[in-house]
Amino acid sequence: MAVDKLDTRILKLLIEQPRTSVREYARILGVARGTVQSRLDRLERDGVITGTGPMLSPAALGHPVLAFVHIEVTQGHLDEVGDALATVPEIIEAFSITGGGDLLTRVAARDNGHLEDVIQQLIQLPGVVRTRTEMALRERVAHRLLPLVESVGRGPGHP
């Protein structure tokens, strides 16, 4: 699915001003409200826009410890371990990966002891062979998509 310059401008507004109305986006962009709405509908349908909810802070929710847990899985058990991870509330993301391990999870915990409890819970899951944990010390680049959206909008070969 191609994202053109108008799509890029709409996406940029969504990121920068997420609580603004479609009518206001149209006014800012100088296009019809229906044009903005049809573009938003297409971007959602095509999977470019995957959600509209608020970004939440695990730390502000009482879970300031962030760790990345690599999980090695018994061959043939990746799906069932993935399903089991979905039942652990402290797992906020999980990905199948290449390299050292089969899964990479992002875990939010209240403190180091709570993190240890979560890791022990993961080790007990059927199909989990071993885990390796790395703790985040400080966020250096917050989750962001605006620079990527802007680079896509410039097109190939346009720095």
Side-chain angles (χ1 to χ4, degrees):
M1 168 246 118
V3 175
D4 66 17
K5 287 191 189 268
L6 179 56
D7 293 334
T8 301
R9 291 173 62 207
I10 291 169
L11 292 170
K12 185 175 181 204
L13 281 173
L14 279 174
I15 292 167
E16 293 176 337
Q17 302 175 37
R19 301 180 117 190
T20 302
S21 69
V22 172
R23 175 172 290 162
E24 182 61 12
Y25 291 149
R27 187 194 67 73
I28 292 167
L29 296 168
V31 299
R33 189 202 64 74
T35 299
V36 174
Q37 188 61 61
S38 68
R39 294 291 185 113
L40 287 170
D41 292 343
R42 181 179 50 80
L43 290 166
E44 285 184 33
R45 190 174 52 252
D46 291 347
V48 175
I49 298 173
T50 59
T52 57
M55 296 287 291
L56 303 177
S57 164
L61 292 170
H63 289 67
V65 175
L66 176 63
F68 298 92
V69 180
H70 298 258
I71 302 173
E72 187 177 323
V73 176
T74 304
Q75 196 165 15
H77 290 77
L78 192 59
D79 288 339
E80 62 190 76
V81 172
D83 291 344
L85 292 176
T87 68
V88 180
E90 295 85 359
I91 303 279
I92 55 179
E93 287 183 300
F95 300 92
S96 298
I97 60 169
T98 63
D102 300 301
L103 294 164
L104 175 64
T105 64
R106 188 162 65 128
V107 177
R110 291 185 302 273
D111 53 37
N112 290 352
H114 181 219
L115 176 60
E116 182 182 10
D117 293 343
V118 173
I119 293 166
Q120 290 301 318
Q121 182 181 357
L122 298 178
I123 291 169
Q124 300 301 316
L125 294 175
V128 172
V129 175
R130 74 179 48 86
T131 65
R132 180 174 53 87
T133 303
E134 298 167 355
M135 291 182 60
L137 300 176
R138 179 179 297 150
E139 184 176 68
R140 297 296 180 167
V141 177
H143 178 80
R144 66 199 183 133
L145 291 172
L146 185 56
L148 179 63
V149 168
E150 290 172 337
S151 75
V152 168
R154 286 190 296 270
H158 294 92

